[in-house]
Amino acid sequence: MFKNLFKPARKSAVFLLSCLAASVASAVDKNAYPDAAASDPAKMGWMVGAPPPPDRIIRFADGSYFNFPAMRWSVSNFRQLMPTTNVSRGLGAPVPLVRALRADIDKLSFVPLGAKQPMTWEQSLAANYTDGIVVLHRGKIVYERYFGVLTPEGQHGAMSVTKSVVGTLGAMLVADGTLDANKKVADYVPELAASAFGSATLRQVLDMTTGLKYSEDYSDPNAEVWQHAQAGSPLPKPKDYTGPRSYMEFLLTVKPLGEHGKAFAYKTVNTDVLGWVIARVTGRNVAQLLSEKIWQRIGAEQDAYFTVDSIGTPFAGGGLNTGLRDLARFGEMIRNEGQYLAQQIVPKAVVEDIRSGGDKDAFAKAGYDLLKGGSYRNMWWVTHNADGAFMARGVYGQRIYIDPKAEMVIVRYASNPIASNSANDPVTIPAFEALAKQLIHRP
Amino acid sequence: MFKNLFKPARKSAVFLLSCLAASVASAVDKNAYPDAAASDPAKMGWMVGAPPPPDRIIRFADGSYFNFPAMRWSVSNFRQLMPTTNVSRGLGAPVPLVRALRADIDKLSFVPLGAKQPMTWEQSLAANYTDGIVVLHRGKIVYERYFGVLTPEGQHGAMSVTKSVVGTLGAMLVADGTLDANKKVADYVPELAASAFGSATLRQVLDMTTGLKYSEDYSDPNAEVWQHAQAGSPLPKPKDYTGPRSYMEFLLTVKPLGEHGKAFAYKTVNTDVLGWVIARVTGRNVAQLLSEKIWQRIGAEQDAYFTVDSIGTPFAGGGLNTGLRDLARFGEMIRNEGQYLAQQIVPKAVVEDIRSGGDKDAFAKAGYDLLKGGSYRNMWWVTHNADGAFMARGVYGQRIYIDPKAEMVIVRYASNPIASNSANDPVTIPAFEALAKQLIHRP
């Protein structure tokens, strides 16, 4: 029933990148997939039993772990599939989030983009294959739901939401003077001088306006995305393999295409380069720095973790996994201009810079139909809508959505069969905007 | 300097079993290895740098991760090397251990077995390549030290200390009637009927008096230990591989040798079989059950974790990794007859059964020179010394040492170049006994 929708080995590599390429599968008919209830990973019984039934075993080595619907189990269990490194929360007591649950959210009604019939908020959860969702209003949990195999004690892949977290770390280092955004990447990592990144400024990397020959077109077997994935895989390389053997070795091979600074072009490798620069200047990889600068300071209830390549490099472009509530704490800290638990964790200027957004003209050139008028800054997506909402977005529906006017933060983990957010945006965008309106009008 | 002490691929597999075979390397001259200071993994800079220097990279796939001295980094970082599954502490606040540090411990003097000159406690730490050690007296931390790359926020491989933890879970299920120790393994896992385990009772498995054709002689390339390791490795199998592909599949192949119930024979597979029985009767694997029954109830400050095979089976025989203080909490709970934080976590009868010990005659037949008069019960080592001390022991120096009379618990993580505890026991045993005496005489 679910066979041949994707080639397993390719899908495997796709995850390793977990980037947000608008080109991915956007043309695929969503109706080709079983719905959320039929593909519920708990009901399907993946990896349950001693041993699990053969058709319910998910193995990393054969690549099948990212076939839909097995993927719905995998995104909550990456640690069981591959090596990882902790983002320690420290050893102190977590600071609980205050709960003020609202009963009016499930029945909230909105019309999906392009649809004629309204949909309720509760219906939107299944429509988007939601694994877990938390809504904070003025810092309190007003809504919280878990589905499938995700629980409050579990961790879920944040996919490209990782980029916004790493971008925040990068912007913090710019704010404190450790990094100069106008300097070139090669000023910090001389090895990259001969690559496309050598001549790019850190600002261009942070805003993804670099000119790179790097295709994330998964339908093209020669696309660079496959070499990137292969390089970063922690599995042993084939005997005849002669390519790069780590994320860093791959970055050295990226060639220029076009001019830097002219157009927004969403490419995962920018974040991996930022991670390299961060590691070089701080002596800490992004997992260690995230722990030190943020995770130990937000009252997190769980360690987070990054997947790593074969030499221990955290996958800065998409390897973060967290508990959902901890991601909510992170989002709330950002909404509150970097303040949280009576500390200034991220400089206010960094959040203001993100909220102000990036170059709208450069963004428009990338042609995101559903994000018209938006921009991209410090690896965050900025809507420039009336509420000044901005987002972190990851494939398969991962999201942090911050609406300053509504004093609202939504964090969602999901396992949509279609990678591109363009598949869930027609439901997600009006649903989140409707909830923001509700919270503004009936606070 | 460190080359050729072991064949890398073999050493790799050795870890995956991390068993405590008295035969391992006991004949190796300890002076052949650099000492604790010269092999300090922090000073050596393993995996430090972006990227690390080529001679400081530790890769899982090539097996070098378990070569000494790289192993000194690996034992504190298994999660960066292989897939794992969490033992959740839950989401509540940890319960801090009270500190009452004593200044008189470092200068404590004792004479190592077979030596003429005395050694101080402080000297013993380096002699045993200690990575971390915590001593509790009457439940308070009286001593705590970390070395190399282990920190209070880190986790370290418990190796075969895992067996005592899993044995405790097994004994708990016997105590509450879920398991009948007199029933046969095949009564619970019928698939094992044709293997050596089929006719063994659970009691024989718990006390390791099964008669098994299973050699842990690492110098023998045909020893079953290699097939066990290969089966449990999460890495892809070679194309021509036709053997078992998981821990469970390997257990099905173990053949009988001799009679059950006659002699103690320390074989890791007994614990893996116990883990299988536990998973079958409870519907939870040992990681899940350990979380539910113990880790969520002892005020742990960190999640623990198990390494897993390619189908997600936790390695019951040796795959547990924990924070050192959490292991101390576990030990203190056992010392206190299963009571901790005003709850009865392990039934008192289980701890009494462990302390009473197993069949001394059966134990004597195994010929442990340094543990004469001892016994083995529910996967714990019982000294039957004047204080009634009992232990959990793991290769390379891992230990929980509980001295009821001295009201003392010592937990130690280490990375001794020699696997067998017979290499560190001549220092460890008199050191721990001397400290117990000190605490009794000057409480």
Side-chain angles (χ1 to χ4, degrees):
Chain A
M1 169 181 191
F2 309 128
K3 275 186 188 173
N4 299 321
L5 289 172
F6 289 99
K7 297 175 197 168
R10 295 270 151 172
K11 281 297 289 179
S12 168
V14 168
F15 158 66
L16 283 169
L17 290 164
S18 69
C19 49
L20 191 155
S23 58
V24 179
S26 54
V28 176
D29 179 5
K30 199 164 175 174
N31 296 323
Y33 296 93
D35 67 13
S39 63
D40 182 308
K43 288 187 198 140
M44 293 196 75
W46 297 106
M47 298 294 265
V48 173
D55 67 348
R56 288 297 180 268
I57 288 176
I58 295 173
R59 289 183 194 256
F60 183 56
D62 66 10
S64 64
Y65 71 101
F66 228 75
N67 290 348
F68 192 87
M71 170 272 264
R72 301 205 68 195
W73 180 90
S74 302
V75 291
S76 292
N77 291 281
F78 283 125
R79 202 153 220 179
Q80 283 196 46
L81 298 167
M82 58 187 93
T84 57
T85 190
N86 255 13
V87 177
S88 172
R89 66 172 192 91
L91 300 176
V95 181
L97 287 164
V98 175
R99 298 175 77 79
L101 298 179
R102 290 174 65 123
D104 63 340
I105 295 177
D106 271 331
K107 293 188 178 123
L108 187 70
S109 182
F110 64 92
V111 180
L113 302 177
K116 286 171 186 168
Q117 297 302 315
M119 178 184 274
T120 66
W121 174 274
E122 189 168 32
Q123 289 169 331
S124 78
L125 303 179
N128 285 334
Y129 296 78
T130 303
D131 296 324
I133 187 163
V134 165
V135 181
L136 300 182
H137 181 226
R138 300 179 176 170
K140 296 178 183 171
I141 296 183
V142 292
Y143 191 85
E144 180 174 24
R145 297 284 295 275
Y146 296 88
F147 301 90
V149 295
L150 186 63
T151 65
E153 297 79 16
Q155 302 95 38
H156 192 288
M159 308 299 182
S160 289
V161 165
T162 309
K163 293 181 174 69
S164 307
V165 175
V166 172
T168 302
L169 290 176
M172 289 169 76
L173 294 171
V174 170
D176 74 13
T178 304
L179 292 175
D180 179 343
N182 297 317
K183 281 204 174 174
K184 301 243 160 50
V185 168
D187 292 330
Y188 295 107
V189 182
E191 301 96 303
L192 284 167
S195 79
F197 300 104
S199 56
T201 64
L202 272 185
R203 172 50 53 209
Q204 289 159 346
V205 167
L206 279 162
D207 296 351
M208 291 213 195
T209 59
T210 46
L212 309 177
K213 185 174 180 311
Y214 178 86
S215 163
E216 298 193 15
D217 177 358
Y218 300 99
S219 64
D220 175 4
N222 295 317
E224 288 80 5
V225 65
W226 300 117
Q227 299 155 36
H228 188 193
Q230 176 84 321
S233 168
L235 292 175
K237 302 284 180 277
K239 273 191 182 160
D240 56 351
Y241 181 80
T242 57
R245 291 171 176 272
S246 65
Y247 288 123
M248 291 184 223
E249 284 188 18
F250 175 77
L251 295 173
L252 297 173
T253 71
V254 177
K255 299 205 162 29
L257 181 69
E259 258 185 276
H260 298 315
K262 297 296 176 193
F264 170 63
Y266 183 87
K267 293 174 193 290
T268 295
V269 279
N270 285 294
T271 317
D272 288 315
V273 159
L274 178 61
W276 194 350
V277 170
I278 287 174
R280 183 61 59 81
V281 299
T282 68
R284 290 161 182 75
N285 67 34
V286 292
Q288 294 161 336
L289 196 71
L290 179 59
S291 169
E292 181 184 317
K293 295 275 188 192
I294 299 180
W295 227 251
Q296 293 190 35
R297 305 182 70 195
I298 58 173
E301 45 191 39
Q302 296 194 67
D303 292 346
Y305 67 85
F306 275 87
T307 58
V308 295
D309 69 9
S310 67
I311 65 167
T313 318
F315 177 28
L320 179 64
N321 289 250
T322 79
L324 183 61
R325 289 186 196 147
D326 289 335
L327 195 69
R329 288 174 166 94
F330 174 83
E332 176 64 12
M333 178 270 294
I334 295 292
R335 183 190 73 82
N336 205 22
E337 298 184 313
Q339 269 213 355
Y340 197 64
L341 304 179
Q343 313 150 87
Q344 192 72 40
I345 293 170
V346 171
K348 187 175 179 183
V350 167
V351 180
E352 282 173 348
D353 186 38
I354 293 166
R355 287 177 57 171
S356 301
D359 182 334
K360 288 187 188 183
D361 293 337
F363 187 84
K365 291 179 189 163
Y368 287 86
D369 286 344
L370 301 177
L371 302 170
K372 276 193 200 305
S375 72
Y376 193 80
R377 185 68 165 180
N378 294 331
M379 304 196 175
W380 288 80
W381 302 81
V382 186
T383 68
H384 298 285
N385 72 5
D387 293 1
F390 56 110
M391 307 180 276
R393 295 156 63 90
V395 275
Y396 306 106
Q398 324 315 321
R399 192 150 318 188
I400 304 173
Y401 184 87
I402 301 176
D403 187 313
K405 188 177 173 198
E407 301 169 278
M408 176 185 82
V409 174
I410 301 175
V411 288
R412 181 183 66 198
Y413 280 144
S415 43
N416 197 302
I418 303 180
S420 171
N421 274 287
S422 63
N424 72 73
D425 271 342
V427 170
T428 303
I429 291 173
F432 288 7
E433 289 182 350
L435 181 50
K437 267 196 192 114
Q438 176 93 333
L439 294 176
I440 289 169
H441 295 299
R442 299 184 196 165
Chain B
M1 170 181 190
F2 309 128
K3 274 186 187 172
N4 299 322
L5 290 171
F6 290 100
K7 297 174 198 166
R10 295 269 150 174
K11 282 296 290 178
S12 168
V14 168
F15 158 67
L16 282 170
L17 290 165
S18 69
C19 49
L20 190 155
S23 58
V24 179
S26 55
V28 177
D29 179 6
K30 198 163 176 175
N31 296 324
Y33 295 94
D35 66 14
S39 63
D40 181 308
K43 287 187 197 141
M44 293 196 76
W46 297 107
M47 299 293 266
V48 174
D55 67 348
R56 288 295 181 270
I57 287 176
I58 295 174
R59 286 181 196 258
F60 183 55
D62 66 11
S64 64
Y65 72 100
F66 227 75
N67 290 350
F68 192 88
M71 170 271 267
R72 302 205 67 195
W73 180 89
S74 302
V75 291
S76 292
N77 291 282
F78 282 125
R79 203 152 220 181
Q80 283 197 46
L81 298 167
M82 58 188 92
T84 58
T85 189
N86 255 12
V87 177
S88 172
R89 66 171 193 90
L91 300 176
V95 181
L97 287 164
V98 175
R99 300 175 74 80
L101 298 179
R102 289 175 65 123
D104 63 341
I105 294 178
D106 271 331
K107 292 190 178 121
L108 187 70
S109 182
F110 64 90
V111 179
L113 302 177
K116 286 170 187 168
Q117 297 301 317
M119 178 184 272
T120 66
W121 173 274
E122 190 168 32
Q123 289 169 330
S124 79
L125 302 179
N128 285 333
Y129 296 78
T130 303
D131 296 325
I133 187 163
V134 164
V135 181
L136 299 182
H137 181 224
R138 299 178 176 171
K140 296 178 182 169
I141 296 183
V142 293
Y143 191 86
E144 181 174 25
R145 296 286 294 277
Y146 297 88
F147 302 90
V149 293
L150 185 64
T151 65
E153 296 80 17
Q155 303 94 38
H156 192 289
M159 309 298 182
S160 289
V161 165
T162 309
K163 295 181 173 70
S164 308
V165 175
V166 172
T168 301
L169 290 175
M172 289 168 75
L173 294 171
V174 170
D176 72 14
T178 304
L179 293 174
D180 178 343
N182 297 316
K183 281 203 174 175
K184 301 244 158 50
V185 167
D187 292 331
Y188 295 107
V189 182
E191 300 97 304
L192 284 167
S195 79
F197 300 104
S199 56
T201 64
L202 272 185
R203 172 51 53 209
Q204 288 159 345
V205 167
L206 280 161
D207 296 351
M208 292 212 195
T209 59
T210 45
L212 309 177
K213 186 173 180 312
Y214 179 87
S215 164
E216 297 193 15
D217 177 357
Y218 300 99
S219 64
D220 174 5
N222 295 316
E224 288 79 6
V225 66
W226 301 117
Q227 298 155 35
H228 188 192
Q230 177 84 322
S233 169
L235 292 174
K237 302 284 180 277
K239 272 191 185 162
D240 56 352
Y241 181 80
T242 57
R245 291 171 175 272
S246 66
Y247 288 123
M248 290 184 225
E249 284 188 17
F250 175 75
L251 295 173
L252 297 173
T253 72
V254 177
K255 298 203 163 32
L257 181 69
E259 261 185 274
H260 298 316
K262 297 298 178 192
F264 170 63
Y266 183 85
K267 291 174 196 291
T268 295
V269 277
N270 286 293
T271 317
D272 288 315
V273 159
L274 177 61
W276 194 350
V277 170
I278 287 173
R280 183 60 60 82
V281 300
T282 67
R284 290 160 181 76
N285 68 33
V286 293
Q288 294 161 335
L289 196 71
L290 179 59
S291 169
E292 180 184 317
K293 295 277 189 189
I294 298 180
W295 227 251
Q296 294 191 34
R297 305 183 70 197
I298 58 172
E301 45 190 41
Q302 295 193 66
D303 292 346
Y305 67 86
F306 274 87
T307 59
V308 294
D309 68 9
S310 66
I311 64 166
T313 318
F315 177 28
L320 180 65
N321 290 249
T322 79
L324 183 60
R325 287 186 197 149
D326 289 335
L327 195 68
R329 288 174 167 93
F330 174 81
E332 177 65 11
M333 179 271 293
I334 295 292
R335 183 191 73 79
N336 205 22
E337 299 184 312
Q339 270 213 352
Y340 197 65
L341 303 180
Q343 313 150 86
Q344 191 73 39
I345 294 171
V346 171
K348 188 176 179 183
V350 167
V351 180
E352 282 174 348
D353 185 38
I354 293 165
R355 286 177 58 171
S356 299
D359 182 334
K360 287 187 187 182
D361 294 336
F363 188 84
K365 290 177 190 163
Y368 286 87
D369 287 345
L370 301 177
L371 301 171
K372 274 193 200 308
S375 72
Y376 193 80
R377 185 69 165 179
N378 294 332
M379 304 196 176
W380 288 81
W381 303 80
V382 185
T383 68
H384 297 287
N385 72 4
D387 292 1
F390 57 109
M391 306 180 278
R393 295 156 64 89
V395 276
Y396 306 106
Q398 324 314 322
R399 193 152 316 190
I400 305 173
Y401 184 86
I402 300 176
D403 187 313
K405 189 176 170 195
E407 302 169 278
M408 175 185 84
V409 173
I410 302 174
V411 288
R412 181 183 67 198
Y413 280 143
S415 45
N416 197 303
I418 302 180
S420 170
N421 274 287
S422 63
N424 73 73
D425 271 341
V427 169
T428 303
I429 292 173
F432 288 7
E433 289 181 350
L435 180 50
K437 267 196 191 112
Q438 176 92 334
L439 294 176
I440 289 169
H441 294 302
R442 298 182 195 166

